[in-house]
Amino acid sequence: MLLLNPGPVTLTERVRRSMLQPDLCHRESEFYDLQDEARTRLLAIHDLDPAQWAAVLMTASGTAAVESMVAALVPEAGRVLVVENGVYGERIAQICARYRVQHERVVGSWMTAPDLEEIEERLDLAGTGRFTHLAVVHHETTTGRLNDLPALSQVCRARGVKLLVDGVSSFGAEAIDFADPALTAVAATANKCLHGVPGAAFVIVRRAALSAAVSRTFYLDLMRLAQLQDQRGTPFTPAVHVYYALVEALREYAEQGGRPVRYARYAALAEQVRTGLAAFGIEAVLAPRKSSVVLRA
Ligand SMILES: Cc1ncc(COP(=O)(O)O)c(C=O)c1O
């Protein structure tokens, strides 16, 4: 079976076989070695300092990582402006509503980029209280659009607003500027651009934001997960074999040259798909410069 969606992806034999390693109890040091390696390698993708950033793992799909991020990092008195131009932006707003996180939505058409002017106006509007956070999907998989993270980040930076990113379908391939002080957390998953198997997700979060956070969820409590993982622990039973696959996929990723190489490979494949379909008279929904390299709609 060849999977042509942007994740889960067709595994390499190496990653598939890695799941056949010995059974491990998650209370043994061998598991914590595995967990440590996954966390270290996730930060290494963007060369992040572990004193400033934490990679927090969870046994779940990508939505759980987004949920964990939103439910923890927006304080009781905080307020989020959610950018919506597709299904996954809508999902962030649904998560906010479910946890009663104070939020408003900037709703755009699926076919258009987020309206930066409107976002600036909404952020600047006093009255019901200032927004503390902006939440956005980096690659809106609904249409394949790559939302303009640098521009959105600049808008946030100028106003001291923190940026929360759903990077589920972009992390590992598209560029993300973690040096940007507005960027607070990115939620992502093992089974898209990293080529692991479904069942492991994670949030890359600034430690400063983590220390000030209070989670609204028990199982997906980002701080508790981070704290225990930092101490070579885990609150619950993780999907050990899925973690084997994640670590193997991350080793393979690094050996192949990391993010620039994966980006280049996807860009070449995306162009091949676009030109191949164009030959049949099938046009792309978005121009390549508006689209991620991960998906051609
Ligand atoms: C941008 C984005 N966010 C969230 C998700 C949800 O991920 P999951 O199905 O792993 O929960 C997806 C899935 O495709 C996605 O593309």
Side-chain angles (χ1 to χ4, degrees):
M1 175 86 69
L2 182 64
L3 301 178
L4 292 173
N5 40 305
V9 298
T10 306
L11 299 179
T12 62
E13 250 341 274
R14 172 177 170 179
V15 170
R16 187 176 294 109
R17 282 181 193 284
S18 73
M19 288 185 280
L20 298 175
Q21 292 178 74
D23 303 326
L24 280 186
C25 172
H26 61 285
R27 299 291 171 207
E28 300 293 344
S29 64
E30 289 87 346
F31 172 72
Y32 297 122
D33 292 344
L34 188 69
Q35 181 173 265
D36 283 351
E37 184 172 347
R39 300 183 76 212
T40 303
R41 286 187 178 276
L42 285 170
L43 291 186
I45 291 173
H46 288 273
D47 212 10
L48 300 179
D49 177 0
Q52 304 291 328
W53 293 89
V56 185
L57 284 165
M58 52 203 83
T59 289
S61 78
T63 304
V66 177
E67 189 160 328
S68 174
M69 170 176 79
V70 170
L73 299 179
V74 185
E76 282 295 314
R79 239 169 128 237
V80 196
L81 188 62
V82 181
V83 179
E84 284 185 25
N85 61 341
V87 164
Y88 297 106
E90 291 167 18
R91 190 173 291 182
I92 298 177
Q94 287 166 351
I95 291 169
C96 288
R98 187 57 70 95
Y99 286 104
R100 300 188 184 183
V101 174
Q102 290 189 65
H103 69 286
E104 284 183 25
R105 302 148 61 211
V106 187
V107 182
S109 139
W110 287 7
M111 293 314 300
T112 56
D115 184 337
L116 283 178
E117 268 180 38
E118 187 189 347
I119 292 169
E120 284 181 301
E121 274 170 26
R122 299 278 292 274
L123 290 176
D124 290 339
L125 206 68
T128 40
R130 294 242 177 239
F131 289 101
T132 52
H133 294 74
L134 186 80
V136 68
V137 179
H138 185 201
H139 168 218
E140 184 44 92
T141 325
T142 312
T143 54
R145 182 182 297 276
L146 193 67
N147 284 328
D148 188 348
L149 215 50
L152 289 160
S153 201
Q154 196 186 351
V155 165
C156 291
R157 212 166 48 236
R159 293 161 176 81
V161 168
K162 297 187 168 94
L163 184 61
L164 304 179
V165 176
D166 171 344
V168 168
S169 62
S170 60
F171 184 88
E174 293 289 349
I176 299 176
D177 181 10
F178 282 88
D180 189 319
L183 185 66
T184 301
V186 178
T189 180
N191 61 270
K192 284 192 159 59
C193 306
L194 299 179
H195 301 183
V197 293
F202 55 90
V203 179
I204 309 282
V205 55
R206 273 190 200 275
R207 287 192 177 276
L210 207 51
S211 60
V214 182
S215 181
R216 294 164 179 82
T217 115
F218 180 74
Y219 190 77
L220 298 174
D221 181 337
L222 195 64
M223 286 77 66
R224 183 162 179 237
L225 289 165
Q227 204 173 36
L228 288 172
Q229 288 172 19
D230 282 347
Q231 298 163 354
R232 286 172 63 83
T234 176
F236 315 112
T237 309
V240 173
H241 295 79
V242 170
Y243 284 32
Y244 272 141
L246 172 60
V247 165
E248 202 58 41
L250 289 168
R251 288 177 186 162
E252 191 176 58
Y253 178 92
E255 284 166 25
Q256 287 173 350
R259 196 194 64 78
V261 170
R262 190 133 306 174
Y263 177 92
R265 174 170 156 72
Y266 286 178
L269 290 172
E271 188 53 16
Q272 191 181 333
V273 168
R274 193 189 64 76
T275 51
L277 290 175
F280 291 113
I282 301 170
E283 293 299 322
V285 168
L286 297 173
R289 70 190 160 76
K290 295 181 180 169
S291 182
S292 78
V293 293
V294 181
L295 179 107
R296 278 289 170 277

